[in-house]
PDB file of all heavy atoms in Angstrom:
ATOM      1  N   VAL A1098      54.735 -30.161  19.545  1.00  0.00           N
ATOM      2  CA  VAL A1098      54.286 -29.170  18.524  1.00  0.00           C
ATOM      3  C   VAL A1098      55.402 -28.364  17.955  1.00  0.00           C
ATOM      4  O   VAL A1098      55.603 -28.234  16.809  1.00  0.00           O
ATOM      5  CB  VAL A1098      53.261 -28.275  19.152  1.00  0.00           C
ATOM      6  CG1 VAL A1098      52.846 -27.148  18.172  1.00  0.00           C
ATOM      7  CG2 VAL A1098      51.995 -29.057  19.408  1.00  0.00           C
ATOM      8  N   HIS A1099      56.314 -27.854  18.807  1.00  0.00           N
ATOM      9  CA  HIS A1099      57.433 -27.048  18.363  1.00  0.00           C
ATOM     10  C   HIS A1099      58.494 -27.944  17.621  1.00  0.00           C
ATOM     11  O   HIS A1099      59.129 -27.465  16.634  1.00  0.00           O
ATOM     12  CB  HIS A1099      58.197 -26.364  19.613  1.00  0.00           C
ATOM     13  CG  HIS A1099      57.396 -25.252  20.097  1.00  0.00           C
ATOM     14  ND1 HIS A1099      57.541 -24.008  19.587  1.00  0.00           N
ATOM     15  CD2 HIS A1099      56.459 -25.143  21.028  1.00  0.00           C
ATOM     16  CE1 HIS A1099      56.669 -23.190  20.165  1.00  0.00           C
ATOM     17  NE2 HIS A1099      56.108 -23.924  21.139  1.00  0.00           N
ATOM     18  N   GLN A1100      58.642 -29.185  17.952  1.00  0.00           N
ATOM     19  CA  GLN A1100      59.438 -30.133  17.048  1.00  0.00           C
ATOM     20  C   GLN A1100      58.889 -30.224  15.642  1.00  0.00           C
ATOM     21  O   GLN A1100      59.637 -30.178  14.712  1.00  0.00           O
ATOM     22  CB  GLN A1100      59.530 -31.411  17.689  1.00  0.00           C
ATOM     23  CG  GLN A1100      60.442 -32.418  16.968  1.00  0.00           C
ATOM     24  CD  GLN A1100      60.678 -33.791  17.666  1.00  0.00           C
ATOM     25  OE1 GLN A1100      60.287 -33.900  18.807  1.00  0.00           O
ATOM     26  NE2 GLN A1100      61.020 -34.682  16.860  1.00  0.00           N
ATOM     27  N   ALA A1101      57.639 -30.442  15.608  1.00  0.00           N
ATOM     28  CA  ALA A1101      56.917 -30.562  14.218  1.00  0.00           C
ATOM     29  C   ALA A1101      57.145 -29.226  13.442  1.00  0.00           C
ATOM     30  O   ALA A1101      57.275 -29.274  12.183  1.00  0.00           O
ATOM     31  CB  ALA A1101      55.491 -30.861  14.484  1.00  0.00           C
ATOM     32  N   LEU A1102      57.053 -28.134  14.191  1.00  0.00           N
ATOM     33  CA  LEU A1102      57.299 -26.886  13.452  1.00  0.00           C
ATOM     34  C   LEU A1102      58.711 -26.705  12.996  1.00  0.00           C
ATOM     35  O   LEU A1102      58.945 -26.292  11.818  1.00  0.00           O
ATOM     36  CB  LEU A1102      56.943 -25.701  14.513  1.00  0.00           C
ATOM     37  CG  LEU A1102      56.959 -24.254  13.910  1.00  0.00           C
ATOM     38  CD1 LEU A1102      55.712 -24.095  12.932  1.00  0.00           C
ATOM     39  CD2 LEU A1102      56.779 -23.224  15.007  1.00  0.00           C
ATOM     40  N   SER A1103      59.601 -27.181  13.780  1.00  0.00           N
ATOM     41  CA  SER A1103      60.969 -27.143  13.378  1.00  0.00           C
ATOM     42  C   SER A1103      61.428 -28.028  12.227  1.00  0.00           C
ATOM     43  O   SER A1103      62.263 -27.779  11.421  1.00  0.00           O
ATOM     44  CB  SER A1103      61.922 -27.424  14.515  1.00  0.00           C
ATOM     45  OG  SER A1103      61.730 -26.455  15.626  1.00  0.00           O
ATOM     46  N   GLU A1104      60.569 -29.028  12.143  1.00  0.00           N
ATOM     47  CA  GLU A1104      60.806 -30.057  11.083  1.00  0.00           C
ATOM     48  C   GLU A1104      59.988 -29.674   9.768  1.00  0.00           C
ATOM     49  O   GLU A1104      60.055 -30.566   8.760  1.00  0.00           O
ATOM     50  CB  GLU A1104      60.369 -31.431  11.562  1.00  0.00           C
ATOM     51  CG  GLU A1104      61.293 -31.942  12.651  1.00  0.00           C
ATOM     52  CD  GLU A1104      60.819 -33.260  13.216  1.00  0.00           C
ATOM     53  OE1 GLU A1104      59.639 -33.699  12.835  1.00  0.00           O
ATOM     54  OE2 GLU A1104      61.598 -33.911  14.027  1.00  0.00           O
ATOM     55  N   GLY A1105      59.407 -28.596   9.719  1.00  0.00           N
ATOM     56  CA  GLY A1105      58.760 -28.122   8.503  1.00  0.00           C
ATOM     57  C   GLY A1105      57.243 -28.086   8.445  1.00  0.00           C
ATOM     58  O   GLY A1105      56.797 -27.509   7.426  1.00  0.00           O
ATOM     59  N   MET A1106      56.592 -28.556   9.470  1.00  0.00           N
ATOM     60  CA  MET A1106      55.112 -28.419   9.417  1.00  0.00           C
ATOM     61  C   MET A1106      54.755 -26.940   9.633  1.00  0.00           C
ATOM     62  O   MET A1106      55.261 -26.294  10.498  1.00  0.00           O
ATOM     63  CB  MET A1106      54.516 -29.261  10.490  1.00  0.00           C
ATOM     64  CG  MET A1106      52.967 -29.367  10.401  1.00  0.00           C
ATOM     65  SD  MET A1106      52.253 -30.488  11.517  1.00  0.00           S
ATOM     66  CE  MET A1106      52.762 -32.011  10.846  1.00  0.00           C
ATOM     67  N   ASP A1107      53.857 -26.392   8.804  1.00  0.00           N
ATOM     68  CA  ASP A1107      53.557 -24.902   8.931  1.00  0.00           C
ATOM     69  C   ASP A1107      52.572 -24.803  10.105  1.00  0.00           C
ATOM     70  O   ASP A1107      51.859 -25.731  10.580  1.00  0.00           O
ATOM     71  CB  ASP A1107      52.924 -24.416   7.686  1.00  0.00           C
ATOM     72  CG  ASP A1107      51.568 -25.067   7.325  1.00  0.00           C
ATOM     73  OD1 ASP A1107      51.610 -26.066   6.782  1.00  0.00           O
ATOM     74  OD2 ASP A1107      50.496 -24.448   7.738  1.00  0.00           O
ATOM     75  N   GLU A1108      52.507 -23.585  10.694  1.00  0.00           N
ATOM     76  CA  GLU A1108      51.790 -23.308  11.885  1.00  0.00           C
ATOM     77  C   GLU A1108      50.362 -23.440  11.769  1.00  0.00           C
ATOM     78  O   GLU A1108      49.622 -23.920  12.570  1.00  0.00           O
ATOM     79  CB  GLU A1108      52.087 -21.887  12.421  1.00  0.00           C
ATOM     80  CG  GLU A1108      51.598 -21.655  13.735  1.00  0.00           C
ATOM     81  CD  GLU A1108      52.064 -20.253  14.327  1.00  0.00           C
ATOM     82  OE1 GLU A1108      52.976 -19.682  13.856  1.00  0.00           O
ATOM     83  OE2 GLU A1108      51.307 -19.759  15.295  1.00  0.00           O
ATOM     84  N   GLU A1109      49.743 -23.049  10.568  1.00  0.00           N
ATOM     85  CA  GLU A1109      48.359 -23.152  10.394  1.00  0.00           C
ATOM     86  C   GLU A1109      47.967 -24.658  10.484  1.00  0.00           C
ATOM     87  O   GLU A1109      46.877 -24.975  10.998  1.00  0.00           O
ATOM     88  CB  GLU A1109      47.982 -22.559   9.159  1.00  0.00           C
ATOM     89  CG  GLU A1109      46.434 -22.532   8.839  1.00  0.00           C
ATOM     90  CD  GLU A1109      45.993 -21.747   7.631  1.00  0.00           C
ATOM     91  OE1 GLU A1109      46.413 -20.612   7.489  1.00  0.00           O
ATOM     92  OE2 GLU A1109      45.207 -22.364   6.819  1.00  0.00           O
ATOM     93  N   THR A1110      48.737 -25.477   9.753  1.00  0.00           N
ATOM     94  CA  THR A1110      48.476 -26.974   9.831  1.00  0.00           C
ATOM     95  C   THR A1110      48.520 -27.418  11.255  1.00  0.00           C
ATOM     96  O   THR A1110      47.610 -28.153  11.709  1.00  0.00           O
ATOM     97  CB  THR A1110      49.427 -27.757   9.019  1.00  0.00           C
ATOM     98  OG1 THR A1110      49.287 -27.312   7.628  1.00  0.00           O
ATOM     99  CG2 THR A1110      49.214 -29.174   9.049  1.00  0.00           C
ATOM    100  N   LEU A1111      49.435 -27.035  12.065  1.00  0.00           N
ATOM    101  CA  LEU A1111      49.571 -27.437  13.425  1.00  0.00           C
ATOM    102  C   LEU A1111      48.294 -26.947  14.242  1.00  0.00           C
ATOM    103  O   LEU A1111      47.803 -27.766  15.011  1.00  0.00           O
ATOM    104  CB  LEU A1111      50.825 -26.829  14.109  1.00  0.00           C
ATOM    105  CG  LEU A1111      52.046 -27.627  13.828  1.00  0.00           C
ATOM    106  CD1 LEU A1111      53.316 -26.702  14.279  1.00  0.00           C
ATOM    107  CD2 LEU A1111      52.104 -28.884  14.607  1.00  0.00           C
ATOM    108  N   LEU A1112      47.874 -25.814  13.924  1.00  0.00           N
ATOM    109  CA  LEU A1112      46.641 -25.252  14.697  1.00  0.00           C
ATOM    110  C   LEU A1112      45.502 -26.016  14.417  1.00  0.00           C
ATOM    111  O   LEU A1112      44.694 -26.385  15.252  1.00  0.00           O
ATOM    112  CB  LEU A1112      46.558 -23.776  14.437  1.00  0.00           C
ATOM    113  CG  LEU A1112      47.647 -22.872  15.061  1.00  0.00           C
ATOM    114  CD1 LEU A1112      47.404 -21.431  14.477  1.00  0.00           C
ATOM    115  CD2 LEU A1112      47.554 -22.813  16.518  1.00  0.00           C
ATOM    116  N   LEU A1113      45.166 -26.200  13.057  1.00  0.00           N
ATOM    117  CA  LEU A1113      43.944 -26.713  12.596  1.00  0.00           C
ATOM    118  C   LEU A1113      43.790 -28.098  12.415  1.00  0.00           C
ATOM    119  O   LEU A1113      42.772 -28.714  12.544  1.00  0.00           O
ATOM    120  CB  LEU A1113      43.496 -25.970  11.316  1.00  0.00           C
ATOM    121  CG  LEU A1113      43.450 -24.501  11.444  1.00  0.00           C
ATOM    122  CD1 LEU A1113      42.963 -23.916  10.042  1.00  0.00           C
ATOM    123  CD2 LEU A1113      42.504 -24.030  12.498  1.00  0.00           C
ATOM    124  N   GLU A1114      44.948 -28.766  12.211  1.00  0.00           N
ATOM    125  CA  GLU A1114      44.973 -30.311  11.967  1.00  0.00           C
ATOM    126  C   GLU A1114      45.641 -31.076  13.061  1.00  0.00           C
ATOM    127  O   GLU A1114      45.698 -32.258  12.964  1.00  0.00           O
ATOM    128  CB  GLU A1114      45.562 -30.514  10.564  1.00  0.00           C
ATOM    129  CG  GLU A1114      44.903 -29.836   9.413  1.00  0.00           C
ATOM    130  CD  GLU A1114      45.544 -29.949   8.065  1.00  0.00           C
ATOM    131  OE1 GLU A1114      46.180 -31.133   7.854  1.00  0.00           O
ATOM    132  OE2 GLU A1114      45.413 -29.104   7.307  1.00  0.00           O
ATOM    133  N   VAL A1115      46.146 -30.416  14.013  1.00  0.00           N
ATOM    134  CA  VAL A1115      46.812 -31.081  15.150  1.00  0.00           C
ATOM    135  C   VAL A1115      46.075 -30.690  16.458  1.00  0.00           C
ATOM    136  O   VAL A1115      45.443 -31.474  17.100  1.00  0.00           O
ATOM    137  CB  VAL A1115      48.274 -30.860  15.180  1.00  0.00           C
ATOM    138  CG1 VAL A1115      48.865 -31.491  16.441  1.00  0.00           C
ATOM    139  CG2 VAL A1115      49.004 -31.489  13.981  1.00  0.00           C
TER     140      VAL A1115
END
Side-chain angles (χ1 to χ4, degrees):
V1098 171
H1099 285 273
Q1100 180 180 344
L1102 189 66
S1103 298
E1104 291 174 354
M1106 186 174 292
D1107 66 276
E1108 188 176 341
E1109 184 174 310
T1110 297
L1111 277 168
L1112 290 170
L1113 301 184
E1114 299 176 34
V1115 173

